[in-house]
Amino acid sequence: MLDLCLKSLLNRRFVAGLTVLSIALSVALILGVERLRTEARAGFANSASGVDLIVAARGNDVQILMATVFGVGSTGTGISWESYEMVEDMPGIDWAVPLMMGDSHRGYPVIGTSNAYFKRFRHSGGQPLVFAQGQAFDDPMGAVVGAEVAQAFGYAPGAEIVNAHGSGAVSFDVHDDAPFTVSGVLEPTGTAVDRMVFVSIEGFDTLHQDALPKNADPFGRARANEDDEEPAQHEEGETAHSAEEDHDEHKEHVAKEVHDEHLHDDDHDEHVDDTHDDHGHEPATINAIFAGLENKSAVLSIQRQLAQYRGDALTAVMPNVALLQLWSITGTAEIALRLMAGAVALAGVIGLVVMLSAALDARRREFAILRSVGATPYNIFTLIIFEAVLLLLMGILLGYFVLTGVTIVANPILAAEFGLRIGLGLPTLREVVLVALVFFSGLIAGAIPALRVYRMTLADGLSMRL
């Protein structure tokens, strides 16, 4: 029966091939949508898995999560350094890392932070950050780049990078007079860290202060400063410097200013607890704080204490809760993608039924001859079912290979544009269930023309139609 089934399909190979192709595309789309959804969720969850609380100025939880963890958007107003010290000294807080944002490098977000970030931050269920090349920055104008940034622009330790004020492709002020020097490149993590550039909080803060008037803070808000003087005018003789000398002098000036502030802050012994990370520089304001807890069960209590803080109006965001809110927002899009994939699968199954049914009239005489040589109606029914099974199996296998090929081609594009990668491993249990649903749906649909054949009489096939 199997041999007869294969010969029958080869005899109608063109129509059978189109049917297999439609099923393959259906399977590839269903699995592709599922993998894209799964990888997106896993990437988001892995990026925030090592942070217990994100503390920022009062605002929307999802906005704060997107800005601090994924470098998309902003946290709004900043919070004072005193608030950071309060958080760091709170009972139950194991560690705290300051974050400053608002700059970008060729479309990638720039984060100002301390070396503690690379020691404390965890991703993908507790994995630490590892340096593929170099080390964390050890001077104010140092920078660490993520794996994707390094690959995109060929960066290695010693390379100079220039940041710009503004996020994404929108840059308002390019700081080309004070470049940062790459001191390290991180290994790939499969998270948003790969798409980030990290600079010292000293360099980030001092660079902005140096570029702004005296009566403005690093985030552009006017200060009530009594010294509202006009900047001193330089004489003509003092301006006869080459562009290269100006560049070097400015860089030295920024580094010297940060170094002086570092020495000045060393005179203070406010943080004597060895469990806290040392901070040589204290900016006026920062954007957010990543915090880890000594006991994760105390997260609600600490969150409530921070909400009642009388200094800055603070919001303490639990990343997992914010992610659930994000999924509720994107749930409609996921449902739409699934419905589209299901519609394509339904079209493939309908194509199978149409192909088998359309061939029945042309095969009436074939079936009648089989009946005349001893084939029972059950044998004819089985022949049609076998054909449907073979078409479905070939379509599923071809769909899996199509998905693999498209994934290999699309992964670099998805990684560059969205920071996502679709896995190339074996199908998961959920994917197997989805493919099984397609298979059994096609099998049930294939039974429709098989039942029609079963009911055909021998005389119906042998009689001549006028």
Side-chain angles (χ1 to χ4, degrees):
M1 185 66 70
L2 181 60
D3 182 59
L4 183 61
C5 178
L6 288 172
K7 289 180 178 179
S8 177
L9 289 177
L10 285 174
N11 188 51
R12 295 173 288 113
R13 52 186 172 272
F14 179 73
V15 177
L18 291 178
T19 304
V20 169
L21 183 60
S22 67
I23 295 172
L25 293 177
S26 303
V27 171
L29 183 60
I30 287 177
L31 294 182
V33 168
E34 180 61 24
R35 288 193 177 185
L36 188 62
R37 186 187 69 84
T38 303
E39 292 297 328
R41 289 206 171 200
F44 273 65
N46 288 337
S47 295
S49 64
V51 180
D52 295 323
L53 281 177
I54 304 171
V55 183
R58 191 155 297 167
N60 181 269
D61 288 5
V62 174
Q63 179 185 359
I64 293 172
L65 174 76
M66 295 299 294
T68 56
V69 177
F70 304 103
V72 178
S74 65
T75 58
T77 58
I79 58 178
S80 66
W81 185 258
E82 289 73 17
S83 296
Y84 167 74
E85 292 179 328
M86 180 277 300
V87 171
E88 190 179 35
D89 291 330
M90 279 185 67
I93 297 292
D94 183 32
W95 55 267
V97 175
L99 301 175
M100 298 181 73
M101 294 167 288
D103 278 8
S104 65
H105 173 69
R106 301 173 76 171
Y108 291 94
V110 175
I111 306 296
T113 186
S114 64
N115 279 332
Y117 185 98
F118 309 107
K119 294 186 295 183
R120 302 294 192 180
F121 187 81
R122 296 291 183 270
H123 67 91
S124 306
Q127 297 296 319
L129 295 176
V130 179
F131 282 89
Q133 301 178 55
Q135 59 187 5
F137 33 73
D138 54 4
D139 68 80
M141 303 308 291
V144 171
V145 297
E148 186 178 326
V149 181
Q151 182 179 8
F153 306 118
Y155 289 151
E160 287 193 344
I161 62 175
V162 175
N163 299 332
H165 189 64
S167 60
V170 181
S171 300
F172 301 106
D173 182 21
V174 179
H175 306 305
D176 52 0
D177 54 348
F180 289 83
T181 302
V182 175
S183 64
V185 176
L186 295 172
E187 286 192 352
T189 64
T191 67
V193 172
D194 296 343
R195 296 172 51 83
M196 291 182 175
V197 175
F198 302 91
V199 301
S200 69
I201 203 166
E202 297 95 327
F204 191 104
D205 182 48
T206 308
L207 179 66
H208 283 244
Q209 286 184 352
D210 186 75
L212 292 170
K214 289 183 178 180
N215 62 340
D217 72 3
F219 298 95
R221 294 185 299 270
R223 287 182 184 160
N225 208 341
E226 336 155 333
D227 310 339
D228 196 10
E229 302 176 353
E230 292 288 329
Q233 301 293 327
H234 294 282
E235 297 180 4
E236 286 187 10
E238 295 176 351
T239 61
H241 296 285
S242 66
E244 183 178 355
E245 290 172 345
D246 288 341
H247 171 83
D248 294 339
E249 288 180 4
H250 184 83
K251 185 175 179 181
E252 290 174 5
H253 169 70
V254 172
K256 181 178 184 301
E257 185 175 331
V258 171
H259 180 66
D260 292 342
E261 291 186 13
H262 180 78
L263 293 177
H264 178 266
D265 291 333
D266 283 344
D267 294 336
H268 299 280
D269 295 322
E270 294 180 6
H271 302 290
V272 294
D273 192 344
D274 291 338
T275 62
H276 289 166
D277 299 298
D278 294 330
H279 302 286
H281 180 80
E282 297 183 0
T285 54
I286 59 176
N287 287 90
I289 306 166
F290 280 169
L293 306 183
E294 294 175 355
N295 184 359
K296 298 185 187 301
S297 63
V299 61
L300 294 178
S301 172
I302 293 176
Q303 190 181 40
R304 185 171 57 254
Q305 293 177 47
L306 291 172
Q308 297 172 350
Y309 178 56
R310 294 183 178 275
D312 293 325
L314 301 178
T315 294
V317 178
M318 291 186 286
N320 291 336
V321 175
L323 280 175
L324 290 177
Q325 296 178 19
L326 180 63
W327 302 145
S328 67
I329 295 172
T330 60
T332 304
E334 289 187 4
I335 293 173
L337 285 174
R338 286 179 171 180
L339 288 176
M340 182 179 69
V344 174
L346 180 62
V349 171
I350 292 175
L352 172 67
V353 176
V354 170
M355 191 278 293
L356 293 174
S357 298
L360 291 184
D361 289 336
R363 301 176 68 188
R364 283 176 181 270
R365 187 171 295 275
E366 173 191 342
F367 295 144
I369 293 172
L370 289 174
R371 290 285 306 278
S372 67
V373 296
T376 65
Y378 176 76
N379 294 138
I380 304 300
F381 177 87
T382 305
L383 175 64
I384 301 299
I385 293 298
F386 266 35
E387 289 184 5
V389 168
L390 284 176
L391 291 172
L392 286 166
L393 289 177
M394 287 188 291
I396 289 171
L397 289 175
L398 179 60
Y400 186 77
F401 286 119
V402 168
L403 175 63
T404 302
V406 170
T407 299
I408 293 173
V409 173
N411 260 345
I413 301 173
L414 290 173
E417 296 295 329
F418 308 105
L420 292 176
R421 288 184 179 274
I422 302 178
L424 290 172
L426 295 175
T428 63
L429 179 60
R430 185 179 178 85
E431 292 173 359
V432 171
V433 170
L434 290 173
V435 171
L437 286 174
V438 173
F439 177 80
F440 286 110
S441 298
L443 197 59
I444 293 171
I448 298 173
L451 287 173
R452 287 185 59 194
V453 172
Y454 184 85
R455 297 176 61 183
M456 286 180 183
T457 64
L458 180 60
D460 180 62
L462 293 178
S463 60
M464 184 70 67
R465 292 190 175 189
L466 299 176

